[in-house]
């Protein structure tokens, strides 16, 4: 491969000394779980995100599950969510015993379409779990208004959007800081990542903060006293040490991602067979992914394009090839492809291109050239 989808080794080599010192210090300290570095990372990330509280946990999937538990979502409740995301989002709802109610997405952002939400609200609806997909915030003003009107809880799945912002009620706010709870993943492919699994939960309510802290260690009030059912979902010190180092670079990395996106936008703007991702006014998109759509008029289909890119040494990925309402695991919901047409059509036409801060300008040009020549040159 000339240009991989992601190059974690390149990021590592840039900050190798800092990372190795930080991790070695943890090994030598003898303090491995929920120690001073986790506390430090929780405080620094809360401040960075503009949330009152941040609570470390084991991964982004647990963060979603704990959020639902903390908000008191019960078996049989309905939770509105998007069908165009990683399975973890809907899976957390199902693990609680609640029902995911899928609402279609908007074509230009891939995020949940606020104008379709109210139709799906009934007496069983208790929450909306939205996803700031690919690094861009959902339309939070509209969604929060609906939530307030119908007394629904809001969980912001911000696994792909650490540092993304939007204008909410006239102020710049970070993804994960607006609803009742925000959740993050630090899985190695994420824009802020650790060296293994890690997650974070944010909120602005003191009682909720206490509750989430209890739930992450088996509903513990004091050692060996338990007031409610919880889980084991702790962030370890090594991961916190890595995250504290990387948090210092996240702004520069997010800026570089947006710069790369701009280069792609510029290069593809005259190609009528590609639809570039749109950034809504007021949003800071951090381009966790740069995801194009192959327009119906293209003389090549998405999978062919992907093979042609690969022949030229360029990696690409399909996030996501099958919308959640059509997954085998959600067959029992009896939904058809056309029930959520935009999600379905997106699954059939999207392609994500390499985007990571260490991508050089030369690499970006290679991607652009390969993509353009894929359609001009007939297949061998
Ligand atoms: C949107 C979204 N939600 C949740 C998750 C789950 O995070 P984790 O893999 O840390 O459990 C991911 C990524 O994996 C994700 O992309």
């Amino acid at each position: 491969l000339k240009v991989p989808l992601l190059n974690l080794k390149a990021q590592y080599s840039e900050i190798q000394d800092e990372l190795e010192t930080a991790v070695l210090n943890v090994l030598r300290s003898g303090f491995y779980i929920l120690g001073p570095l986790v506390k430090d990372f929780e405080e620094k990330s809360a401040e960075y995100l503009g949330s009152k509280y941040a609570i470390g946990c084991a991964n982004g999937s647990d963060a979603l599950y704990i959020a639902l538990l903390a908000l008191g979502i019960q078996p049989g409740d309905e939770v509105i969510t998007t069908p165009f995301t990683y399975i973890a989002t809907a899976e957390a709802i199902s693990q609680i015993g609640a029902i995911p109610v899928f609402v279609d997405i908007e074509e230009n952002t891939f995020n949940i379409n606020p104008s379709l939400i109210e139709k799906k609200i009934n007496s069983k609806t208790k929450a909306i779990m939205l996803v700031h997909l690919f690094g861009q915030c959902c339309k939070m003003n509209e969604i929060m208004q609906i939530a307030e009107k119908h007394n629904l809880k809001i969980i912001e799945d911000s696994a792909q959007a650490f540092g993304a912002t939007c204008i909410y009620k006239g102020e710049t706010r970070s993804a994960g800081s607006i609803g009742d709870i925000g959740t993050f993943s630090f899985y190695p492919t994420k824009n802020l990542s650790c060296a293994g699994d890690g997650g974070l939960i944010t909120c602005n309510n003191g009682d909720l903060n206490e509750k989430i802290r209890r739930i992450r260690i088996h509903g513990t009030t004091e050692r060996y006293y338990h007031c409610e059912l919880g889980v084991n979902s702790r962030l370890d010190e090594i991961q916190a040490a890595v995250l504290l180092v990387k948090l210092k670079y996240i702004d520069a990395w997010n800026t570089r991602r947006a710069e790369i996106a701009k280069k792609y936008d510029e290069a593809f703007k005259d190609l009528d067979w590609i639809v570039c991702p749109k950034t809504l006014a007021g949003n800071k998109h951090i381009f966790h992914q740069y995801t194009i759509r192959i327009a119906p008029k293209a003389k090549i289909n998405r999978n062919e394009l992907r093979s042609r890119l690969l022949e030229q040494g360029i990696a690409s990925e399909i996030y996501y090839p099958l919308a959640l309402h059509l997954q085998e695991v959600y067959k029992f919901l009896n939904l058809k492809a056309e029930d959520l047409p935009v999600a379905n059509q997106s699954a059939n036409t999207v392609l994500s291109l390499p985007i990571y801060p260490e991508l050089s300008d030369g690499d970006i040009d290679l991607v652009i050239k390969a993509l353009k020549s894929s359609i001009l040159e007939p297949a061998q």
Side-chain angles (χ1 to χ4, degrees), residues 59-61 64 85-86 88-89 131 157 159-160 185 187 190 198 320:
N59 55 66
S61 305
L64 291 166
T85 173
Y86 185 54
T89 317
V131 181
D157 182 343
Q160 304 187 7
S185 162
Y187 183 75
K190 299 295 189 253
Y320 296 92

Side-chain angles (χ1 to χ4, degrees), residues 161-172:
F162 194 100
T165 66
C166 61
I167 307 290
Y168 176 66
K169 291 189 175 170
E171 283 177 26
T172 300

Side-chain angles (χ1 to χ4, degrees), residues 15 24 73 104 113 174 206 244 247-248 260 278 291 348 355-356 370 379:
I15 51 173
L24 202 58
I73 305 304
D104 210 358
N113 186 338
S174 291
L244 277 165
L247 189 60
K248 294 188 282 182
I260 298 167
K278 297 275 180 316
T291 303
N348 293 329
I355 190 161
Y356 52 90

Side-chain angles (χ1 to χ4, degrees), residues 296-355:
K297 66 168 68 161
K299 294 191 189 77
I300 190 168
N301 74 34
R302 187 257 316 266
N303 293 348
E304 281 165 4
L305 176 61
R306 197 170 174 223
S307 310
R308 298 256 184 101
L309 289 175
L310 198 58
E311 282 162 19
Q312 297 170 82
I314 310 297
S316 62
E317 189 52 273
I318 300 165
Y319 301 113
Y320 296 92
L322 187 64
L324 297 190
H325 68 296
L326 302 177
Q327 297 283 350
E328 175 122 22
V329 66
Y330 285 122
K331 237 180 178 168
F332 72 95
L333 294 173
N334 283 321
L335 292 166
K336 294 188 218 48
E338 59 273 21
D339 290 335
L340 299 158
V342 184
N344 183 54
Q345 187 243 6
S346 300
N348 293 329
T349 56
V350 288
L351 192 67
S352 297
L353 302 178
I355 190 161

Side-chain angles (χ1 to χ4, degrees), residues 29 37 47 50 71 86 111-112 138 152 183-184 212 264 363:
S29 75
L37 296 178
E47 194 189 335
L71 292 171
Y86 185 54
N111 281 335
I112 194 164
C138 295
L152 305 177
T183 67
F184 295 85
I212 292 165
Y264 282 150
D363 290 339

Side-chain angles (χ1 to χ4, degrees), residues 65-66 69 214-220 228-233:
Y65 180 73
I66 293 170
L69 267 185
R214 287 196 301 270
I215 290 174
R216 90 174 154 178
I217 35 172
H218 304 290
T220 303
E228 61 197 313
L229 287 180
V231 295
N232 169 13
S233 184

Side-chain angles (χ1 to χ4, degrees), residues 135-168:
Q136 169 161 229
C137 288
C138 295
K139 290 181 174 166
M140 292 309 292
N141 288 291
E142 291 166 51
I143 295 170
M144 292 301 288
Q145 230 168 30
I146 296 168
E148 275 159 30
K149 181 170 159 200
H150 297 275
N151 198 22
L152 305 177
K153 302 291 185 195
I154 293 283
I155 300 160
E156 296 174 66
D157 182 343
S158 314
Q160 304 187 7
F162 194 100
T165 66
C166 61
I167 307 290
Y168 176 66

